[in-house]
């Protein structure tokens, strides 16, 4: 397994020199300053690669090459957007990038309600609180239909939270929910979010699946020709949110995706935290079922509450059996070697430690939520130990 580290380029307070000391070999990054739908210029990709290689790293994985919202909505003439996506893939392939992580979540990316929830040991973590999310949907942006999405106890507690919340509390909640959006674009206030949601009216699960299938049909042939593997990231959280459908949340969804287009370039980013936040998902079983489709992995853990809330746990704690999960990935790597998978596709599955706790001196640094230095270093060290131990059994 290739140890990798997510880096946000010029937006990241953590330097490549600091990352070098973690022992990671690969950088996972993107051109976060380019608006969605525009071509990633070859010159910009080449400059980013030079920056990474000069620092002593490999760049094999892009996270993410975003999909324009009009493609997700199936809106207007999409031919130029599909052409731009294919050209960006070609420009990346020319510089040796082999894997593109992406998601098909409408409007929002990962969603949390707390960016610094307290942990018992004094660290902080990301948290999704069902009560605060219900309060946001129902009382802050006036989505009355959300009453049907939460159990009565959560609705009652949400009303109480909203009655007691200060303006600062509400602004902090909005900022936390917006924090999951990647890149430098599309942050909303409450009114702006309501307007953005209105553009998705009428897009149900079936429509979104149809639009996703069209996207796959438009880009996968080019990906095959280029030697690029696309790796869809599961929904985070793995449930409908703000009235928006989510279609990459469970085994059934993944079965549909790979049946919709059986191209070998149609693959999965195995995110143990995103899948693990769904109480009905057996993450280890899902990994085993789709092992041949795993092109990239995010290894993290979550601890779930009965009301639908969850928070980031330490990498070897939480509800997912991380040792068993890594054993599945190592077995798939061994299968690929035995099958003599072409070198460009690679035998080793790149992974990165995801969403570490903010701890120690990181607590005094202004870091990207969920992406601290020390918390991810701890996670990487723990995962490295598991991998090393399993590799020598």
């Amino acid at each position: 397994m290739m140890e990798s580290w997510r880096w946000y380029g010029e937006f990241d307070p953590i330097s490549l020199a600091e990352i070098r000391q973690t022992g990671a070999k690969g950088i996972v990054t993107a051109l976060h300053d380019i608006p969605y739908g525009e071509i990633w210029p070859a010159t910009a990709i080449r400059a980013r690669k030079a920056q990474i290689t000069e620092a002593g790293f490999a760049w094999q994985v892009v996270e993410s090459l975003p999909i324009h919202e009009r493609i997700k909505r199936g809106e207007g003439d999409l031919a130029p957007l599909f052409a731009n996506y294919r050209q960006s893939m070609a420009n990346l392939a020319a510089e040796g990038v082999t894997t593109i992580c992406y998601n098909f979540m409408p409007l929002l990316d990962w969603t949390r309600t707390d960016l610094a929830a307290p942990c018992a040991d004094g660290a902080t973590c990301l948290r999704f609180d069902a009560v605060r999310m219900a309060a946001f949907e129902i009382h802050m942006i006036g989505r009355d239909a959300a009453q049907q999405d939460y159990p009565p106890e959560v609705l009652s507690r949400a009303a109480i939270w909203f009655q007691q919340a200060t303006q600062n509390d509400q602004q902090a909640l909005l900022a936390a929910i917006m924090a999951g959006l990647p890149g430098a674009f599309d942050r909303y206030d409450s009114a702006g979010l309501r307007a953005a949601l209105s553009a998705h009216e009428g897009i149900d699960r079936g429509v979104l699946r149809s639009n996703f299938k069209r996207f796959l049909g438009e880009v996968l042939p080019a990906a095959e020709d280029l030697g690029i593997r696309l790796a869809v990231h599961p929904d985070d959280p793995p449930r409908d949110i703000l009235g928006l459908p989510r279609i990459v949340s469970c085994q059934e969804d993944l079965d549909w995706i790979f049946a919709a287009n059986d191209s070998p370039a149609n693959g999965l980013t195995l995110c143990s935290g995103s899948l693990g936040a769904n109480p009905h998902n057996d993450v280890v079983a899902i990994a085993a079922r789709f092992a041949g489709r795993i092109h990239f992995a995010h290894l993290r853990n979550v601890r779930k509450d009965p009301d639908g809330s969850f928070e980031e746990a330490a990498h070897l704690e939480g509800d997912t059996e991380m040792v068993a999960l890594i054993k599945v990935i190592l077995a798939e790597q061994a299968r690929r070697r035995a099958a003599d998978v072409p070198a460009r596709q690679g035998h080793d599955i790149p992974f990165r430690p995801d969403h570490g706790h903010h701890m120690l001196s990181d607590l005094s640094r202004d870091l990207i939520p969920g992406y601290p230095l020390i918390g991810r270093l701890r996670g990487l060290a723990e995962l490295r130990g598991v991998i090393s131990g399993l590799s020598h059994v």
Side-chain angles (χ1 to χ4, degrees):
M1 297 171 68
M2 180 178 181
E3 297 180 5
S4 302
W5 189 276
R6 191 173 193 183
W7 181 60
Y8 285 87
E10 62 271 32
F11 300 105
D12 203 325
I14 298 172
S15 69
L16 289 173
E18 289 177 295
I19 298 170
R20 183 74 180 272
Q21 296 181 50
T22 70
K25 305 302 182 186
I27 289 294
V28 174
T29 192
L31 303 185
H32 295 288
D33 59 323
I34 297 179
Y36 294 7
E38 293 189 8
I39 294 172
W40 285 15
T43 52
I45 294 169
R46 195 173 304 121
R48 178 57 56 86
K49 180 182 178 181
Q51 188 180 14
I52 291 168
T53 55
E54 287 170 7
F57 299 99
W59 184 24
Q60 296 180 348
V61 181
V62 159
E63 184 179 350
S64 300
L65 180 58
I67 300 170
H68 197 280
E69 286 301 313
R70 282 180 46 219
I71 292 176
K72 298 175 188 178
R73 295 195 298 264
E75 177 185 284
D77 178 12
L78 299 179
L81 289 174
F82 289 129
N84 287 357
Y85 203 94
R86 290 190 292 264
Q87 186 60 57
S88 293
M89 290 197 305
N91 293 346
L92 288 164
E95 295 302 324
V97 173
T98 58
T99 303
I100 294 173
C101 172
Y102 72 100
N103 72 70
F104 213 79
M105 290 181 270
L107 192 59
L108 296 179
D109 204 306
W110 61 267
T111 303
R112 298 293 186 273
T113 59
D114 299 86
L115 302 181
C119 302
D121 60 3
T124 66
C125 68
L126 300 178
R127 177 174 173 81
F128 178 90
D129 188 275
V131 170
R132 295 190 186 191
M133 194 68 208
F136 179 79
E137 292 202 61
I138 298 166
H139 302 289
M140 286 179 59
I141 65 171
R143 197 177 79 81
D144 293 338
Q147 299 272 357
Q148 309 302 316
D149 296 339
Y150 297 92
E153 180 187 353
V154 170
L155 295 175
S156 298
R157 291 164 60 199
I160 293 171
W161 182 90
F162 180 73
Q163 290 167 3
Q164 297 176 344
T166 65
Q167 191 65 31
N168 285 340
D169 292 334
Q170 294 183 37
Q171 288 301 314
L173 178 56
L174 174 63
I177 292 170
M178 290 297 102
L181 286 169
F185 305 95
D186 293 338
R187 300 299 191 265
Y188 306 105
D189 58 15
S190 294
L193 181 58
R194 282 193 293 268
L197 288 171
S198 67
H200 292 75
E201 290 180 0
I203 298 177
D204 59 14
R205 181 178 178 83
V207 171
L208 191 60
R209 273 188 167 183
S210 178
N211 295 340
F212 189 15
K213 185 174 182 178
R214 180 182 176 187
F215 167 78
L216 294 175
E218 290 280 355
V219 302
L220 284 172
E224 288 187 46
D225 291 342
L226 295 165
I228 288 277
R229 298 170 297 186
L230 292 175
V232 65
H233 188 287
D235 303 322
D236 187 11
R239 48 161 286 181
D240 292 358
I241 195 165
L242 295 171
L244 302 169
R246 296 291 181 92
I247 58 171
V248 194
S249 293
C250 61
Q251 177 181 306
E252 177 191 354
D253 290 340
L254 295 173
D255 279 331
W256 179 87
I257 290 166
F258 301 129
N261 194 310
D262 65 358
S263 165
N266 186 17
L268 171 66
T269 294
L270 178 71
C271 182
S272 54
S274 295
L275 291 169
N278 184 333
H280 304 294
N281 284 341
D282 182 331
V283 179
V284 177
I286 289 173
R289 181 178 181 86
F290 301 106
R293 297 283 185 173
I294 298 172
H295 297 327
F296 180 39
H298 293 174
L299 298 183
R300 62 182 175 91
N301 226 320
V302 297
R303 183 179 295 107
K304 299 184 287 293
D305 296 333
D307 67 359
S309 303
F310 63 89
E311 67 183 25
E312 309 288 346
H315 287 77
L316 300 188
E317 300 174 11
D319 298 336
T320 295
E321 293 289 342
M322 190 61 69
V323 175
L325 181 63
I326 291 174
K327 189 178 293 186
V328 170
I329 298 173
L330 290 173
E332 172 58 20
Q333 287 189 163
R335 184 199 68 79
R336 295 180 188 184
R337 289 193 185 95
D340 195 23
V341 173
R344 182 168 174 79
Q345 293 180 17
H347 303 138
D348 290 345
I349 295 171
F351 79 96
R352 64 175 180 83
D354 198 11
H355 288 189
H357 287 179
H358 288 243
M359 58 178 59
L360 302 174
S361 59
D362 278 350
L363 291 169
S364 62
R365 294 183 68 176
D366 185 16
L367 299 173
I368 294 171
Y371 291 93
L373 177 61
I374 297 172
R376 283 188 291 168
L377 172 58
R378 173 188 170 181
L380 178 59
E382 292 175 342
L383 296 168
R384 181 185 293 145
V386 172
I387 294 166
S388 180
L390 290 174
S391 299
H392 289 84
V393 170

